[in-house]
Amino acid sequence: MPNNLNGLPLRHAIEARHESFACDAFQTLLQDRRIAVVHLADGPHPEIDFATAHFAYLRIKGTQEGEPLGYAERDLTRWANTAHAIAEDREVFLFVIAGHKVAHPAAAQELLRRLSHKCSAR
């Protein structure tokens, strides 16, 4: 995988959806190449969460019908805290995807609100 294209830096992330990728060999391979593993959460795939690049890529898939903000309060708090902790040492890309799709914008906006409060409190 190239590190740049026409002088622009490229970042790479790999979405591994099988538990066989949750191993030291895969982690080392990604670290050596500074490739992030996509942290899939709240869905049917295993959560593989290695810090292998200078950024983190999270895809949360647990929005639910009947939750006005897509997620329950405790889950929004958990994801805001998780993203904030990761942001201490890496750039974070967090996407709300799958689950109850019409709730994605509300969940994303609520996470942004919570994160902006955490960041301004520093």
Side-chain angles (χ1 to χ4, degrees), residues 17-33:
R17 292 185 170 194
H18 191 270
E19 69 237 11
S20 64
F21 288 97
C23 66
D24 292 341
F26 184 59
Q27 181 177 5
T28 300
L29 178 70
L30 296 181
Q31 278 177 321
D32 289 349
R33 290 161 180 82

Side-chain angles (χ1 to χ4, degrees), residues 7-8 18 67 69 75 89-90 122:
L8 298 173
H18 191 270
E67 288 292 347
L69 297 175
D75 294 323
D89 66 313
R90 293 180 282 161
R122 281 186 176 175

